[in-house]
Amino acid sequence: QKEVEQDPGPLSVPEGAIVSLNCTYSNSAFQYFMWYRQYSRKGPELLMYTYSSGNKEDGRFTAQVDKSSKYISLFIRDSQPSDSATYLCAMSLQGGSEKLVFGKGTKLTVNP
Amino acid sequence: GAVVSQHPSWVICKSGTSVKIECRSLDFQATTMFWYRQFPKQSLMLMATSNEGSKATYEQGVEKDKFLINHASLTLSTLTVTSAHPEDSSFYICSAVKGAYEQYFGPGTRLTVT
């Protein structure tokens, strides 16, 4: 079993839809959870950062962590064509400044 | 945010030659930088942790004599792929740590070995 599992998609939604992206993980010691957005042939861009369980909201993005289920989610409200990218979940033991374990990424396309 | 650059963005080299990739944090100092490798449709896999002024720490399975890492200053880390072979063709991405919590990624370097 991989440490972090993420459905690679692809996921295609119409503009304005609510998008739900998810990851599961096996290592209960993970404490820090991140979501990155990666455009084709570019480096990942940090979107959201969450410590332990709970929700965090930033504009149209909401990150949720359920440590009891080892499950994390990213919700995108009012999705836009510019949100089309690959979304990577990442997690670490001791913080965002430590080495990260990434999911495979989910490729999202938002159609106008 | 913070800006991390990589140079070159794309390089083609012949089998058996060496290639150096630079990673720079442009507007902050980074004691720690990481080097990742990403194959097509795969996730980023950590290769090594680079700490300024000390030897890099390599992940299991990564040949330290093949992938030479030097972190000579708080804003520059280099990755040298020695005696490159076609199987080394990949997308190499660095990241730099800012403060205690945030890791910023460079735009990546696409290496093609012919």
Side-chain angles (χ1 to χ4, degrees):
Chain A
Q1 183 187 12
K2 284 194 164 222
E3 271 196 298
V4 180
E5 300 273 7
Q6 183 177 9
D7 186 341
L11 181 62
S12 182
V13 301
E15 183 175 354
I18 296 175
V19 176
S20 172
L21 304 165
N22 311 293
C23 288
T24 58
Y25 61 95
S26 58
N27 188 347
S28 58
F30 284 135
Q31 298 265 39
Y32 295 84
F33 305 90
M34 286 131 288
W35 285 96
Y36 284 84
R37 177 173 60 194
Q38 186 178 24
Y39 293 109
S40 182
R41 301 184 178 227
K42 300 290 184 186
E45 171 194 6
L46 179 64
L47 282 177
M48 301 283 288
Y49 176 103
T50 310
Y51 168 69
S52 194
S53 286
N55 295 354
K56 187 173 184 179
E57 190 173 318
D58 183 1
R60 296 184 296 111
F61 298 91
T62 299
Q64 286 185 352
V65 175
D66 181 350
K67 289 194 70 180
S68 63
S69 302
K70 300 193 188 75
Y71 187 89
I72 69 171
S73 302
L74 177 71
F75 297 96
I76 307 174
R77 290 184 299 280
D78 188 25
S79 56
Q80 303 294 311
S82 57
D83 295 328
S84 298
T86 296
Y87 289 81
L88 299 148
C89 64
M91 41 201 82
S92 72
L93 300 176
Q94 296 178 334
S97 60
E98 303 295 322
K99 61 182 183 181
L100 303 179
V101 178
F102 282 87
K104 266 193 173 182
T106 300
K107 184 174 173 63
L108 170 68
T109 301
V110 181
N111 301 299
Chain B
V3 182
V4 176
S5 71
Q6 279 183 244
H7 178 81
S9 57
W10 188 27
V11 58
I12 301 174
C13 70
K14 291 189 175 179
S15 187
T17 62
S18 296
V19 174
K20 180 186 282 189
I21 302 169
E22 292 185 348
C23 176
R24 293 181 186 272
S25 54
L26 298 185
D27 52 1
F28 65 99
Q29 293 185 326
T31 305
T32 302
M33 291 184 175
F34 296 97
W35 285 95
Y36 294 84
R37 181 166 52 184
Q38 186 177 34
F39 291 105
K41 298 189 179 181
Q42 298 295 317
S43 189
L44 284 80
M45 296 297 293
L46 180 67
M47 298 176 67
T49 302
S50 169
N51 291 301
E52 187 266 338
S54 63
K55 287 185 177 180
T57 304
Y58 291 82
E59 295 298 298
Q60 192 173 9
V62 177
E63 299 175 60
K64 62 181 181 181
D65 294 330
K66 181 170 184 62
F67 298 100
L68 301 179
I69 291 170
N70 184 283
H71 196 151
S73 76
L74 288 172
T75 59
L76 173 65
S77 176
T78 60
L79 168 68
T80 300
V81 184
T82 62
S83 187
H85 290 285
E87 57 266 29
D88 298 323
S89 298
S90 188
F91 194 50
Y92 292 86
I93 305 176
C94 72
S95 69
V97 174
K98 180 181 179 184
Y101 302 107
E102 297 177 341
Q103 193 172 147
Y104 293 90
F105 285 78
T109 295
R110 184 159 301 280
L111 170 64
T112 300
V113 185
T114 61

